[in-house]
Amino acid sequence: MTISSTQKRIISLLADGQFHSGTELADDLSISRSAVWKQLQGLNGWGLQYSAVSGKGYRLDHPLELLMEEKIKAVISDQVGALISSFEIYDQIDSTNRYLVECSQNNAPSGSVCFAEYQTAGKGRRGRQWVSPYGSNIYLSILWRFQQGPAAISGLSLAVGVAVIRALKQHQVNDIGLKWPNDIYSQGKKLGGILVEVSGETDGPCCAVIGLGLNLFMPEADAENITQAWTDLSKVTGQTLLIRNHLAGSLLNQLLPVIGEYEGIGIQTYLDEWRSYDCLFGKVATLFIGQQQFDGIVQGIDANGMLLIERPDGSVQTFASGEVSFNSSVPS
Ligand code: BTN
């Protein structure tokens, strides 16, 4: 079921988190009070929790700042604006990554940018679902084309992680780090994730869709579907955040130049900074690759962004892929 324009208007009216009476909403929307009630009932399905209190009216349990193109663009520098070829915000979509992969097959150019308020089939790494309730987090995908083949951009997702940390630091979010290869972590829990989907020939050119999911405020009811230890920015900062548009603009300011310049400069430029955010370094951990598991002490990343693990026999092994768990015996 899609979000109707009436429901979108109700959400906009309730976004301030204050009580609004049924009569007020009905008058604003030129519909009956029972029609308001009916429309509101559909909101729970998108992760929007609200309270109805007699004598007061309706209130969203958590205020929202809906994404607005002009507010995001107001934050973007001219230089970054010039890198954007298309800019879309979907109220509802299956997956911003899936959508841009489809656009890439229809020759969409570099710099296609897509945000969504709500994803019905958000994709995480390793076939996981990315829990994407309405209006509370960031779901962003960027399409970029490269002259060379996939091997030339193998470390891109690490560089993207650095760009995300830079943007968060601009918003005074400092208690954050990166968990190889590209999870955004805070206090041992996942705050965000990056999914890079690459298509193209081995010899190039290739096309990447870079997807970022960042938890700003995750309603507990939706969190029940998350299979990893998670956190969100409201927990990390202790603030009820209403900075989605500003943060979305800051993310684009940091991400687009990193992605656009990556082919020319590669991972080397980002290695030291990535290492400074490495929250696995020195930890006893287990790397899972399919059915195999490798225990040891994480020794950071090598010059190509690959994971180094010191094994119990003292040897250091290099890994290009896998899932690291450092606080349990199964992949988190
Ligand atoms: C991960 O599992 O860590 C990667 C999560 C990536 C989620 C984002 S949300 C925006 C974009 N669209 C998707 O369907 N997935 C990515």
Side-chain angles (χ1 to χ4, degrees):
M1 210 167 57
T2 54
I3 293 170
S4 69
S5 59
T6 310
Q7 281 168 323
K8 180 74 195 278
R9 285 167 65 199
I10 292 181
I11 294 167
S12 306
L13 290 167
L14 295 179
D16 59 9
Q18 303 296 313
F19 276 107
H20 294 265
S21 71
T23 311
E24 179 196 332
L25 294 173
D27 287 351
D28 272 336
L29 299 164
S30 307
I31 56 175
S32 68
R33 283 173 54 195
S34 65
V36 167
W37 180 77
K38 240 189 199 162
Q39 299 284 342
L40 273 161
Q41 282 195 312
L43 298 186
N44 284 332
W46 303 309
L48 277 172
Q49 314 296 330
Y50 68 92
S51 314
V53 176
S54 77
K56 286 187 166 177
Y58 303 99
R59 180 178 76 167
L60 285 182
D61 290 354
H62 191 268
L64 300 176
E65 186 186 87
L66 296 176
L67 294 176
M68 291 175 76
E69 181 169 343
E70 57 277 22
K71 284 195 181 173
I72 297 174
K73 286 195 167 163
V75 179
I76 296 174
S77 70
D78 291 347
Q79 195 196 350
V80 169
L83 298 173
I84 297 176
S85 58
S86 73
F87 188 102
E88 294 176 283
I89 301 175
Y90 280 89
D91 235 349
Q92 174 182 322
I93 197 165
D94 52 355
S95 150
T96 54
N97 259 40
R98 197 231 28 96
Y99 170 66
L100 284 190
V101 168
E102 181 185 302
C103 293
S104 74
Q105 288 154 1
N106 295 320
N107 298 321
S110 289
S112 303
V113 169
C114 179
F115 287 94
E117 292 287 13
Y118 176 58
Q119 295 186 121
T120 54
K123 293 197 282 181
R125 290 176 62 233
R126 304 187 169 267
R128 290 194 184 108
Q129 172 200 13
W130 190 257
V131 175
S132 309
Y134 190 93
S136 34
N137 302 318
I138 297 272
Y139 318 119
L140 162 67
S141 296
I142 298 171
L143 181 158
W144 205 268
R145 294 186 178 278
F146 299 89
Q147 306 280 319
Q148 302 165 69
I153 59 162
S154 61
L156 175 65
S157 69
L158 276 78
V160 166
V162 167
V164 173
I165 298 279
R166 287 178 182 171
L168 288 168
K169 284 189 176 288
Q170 284 184 330
H171 287 263
Q172 284 73 51
V173 184
N174 292 309
D175 191 7
I176 40 174
L178 293 168
K179 172 175 173 270
W180 187 88
N182 48 27
D183 285 348
I184 319 300
Y185 251 60
S186 182
Q187 299 159 356
K189 294 173 184 162
K190 187 157 169 170
L191 179 65
I194 294 157
L195 175 67
V196 179
E197 297 187 84
V198 183
S199 58
E201 303 300 317
T202 317
D203 298 340
C206 72
C207 179
V209 172
I210 299 116
L212 168 70
L214 194 62
N215 299 334
L216 270 62
F217 174 78
M218 182 64 76
E220 291 294 334
D222 295 281
E224 282 172 14
N225 298 317
I226 303 179
T227 54
Q228 301 164 284
W230 65 274
T231 189
D232 62 24
L233 278 184
S234 73
K235 288 187 165 59
V236 170
T237 63
Q239 290 164 19
T240 308
L241 289 139
L242 289 175
I243 53 154
R244 285 175 82 226
N245 288 294
H246 198 167
L247 184 55
S250 303
L251 285 164
L252 290 176
N253 277 338
Q254 296 299 333
L255 284 165
L256 280 161
V258 166
I259 296 167
E261 289 164 10
Y262 190 79
E263 193 165 24
I265 60 178
I267 187 67
Q268 280 68 30
T269 318
Y270 302 99
L271 285 175
D272 284 347
E273 197 174 345
W274 197 98
R275 287 177 177 131
S276 73
Y277 304 138
D278 184 356
C279 56
L280 281 181
F281 190 89
K283 291 226 158 52
V284 175
T286 304
L287 180 78
F288 293 84
I289 306 175
Q291 297 304 310
Q292 288 182 293
Q293 72 180 68
F294 302 87
D295 300 316
I297 300 170
V298 178
Q299 298 294 355
I301 53 170
D302 72 4
N304 298 312
M306 298 210 204
L307 185 71
L308 300 169
I309 297 187
E310 185 185 331
R311 306 275 285 132
D313 66 4
S315 65
V316 175
Q317 264 181 273
T318 307
F319 296 92
S321 65
E323 191 82 350
V324 187
S325 170
F326 62 101
N327 52 12
S328 68
S329 56
V330 289
S332 55

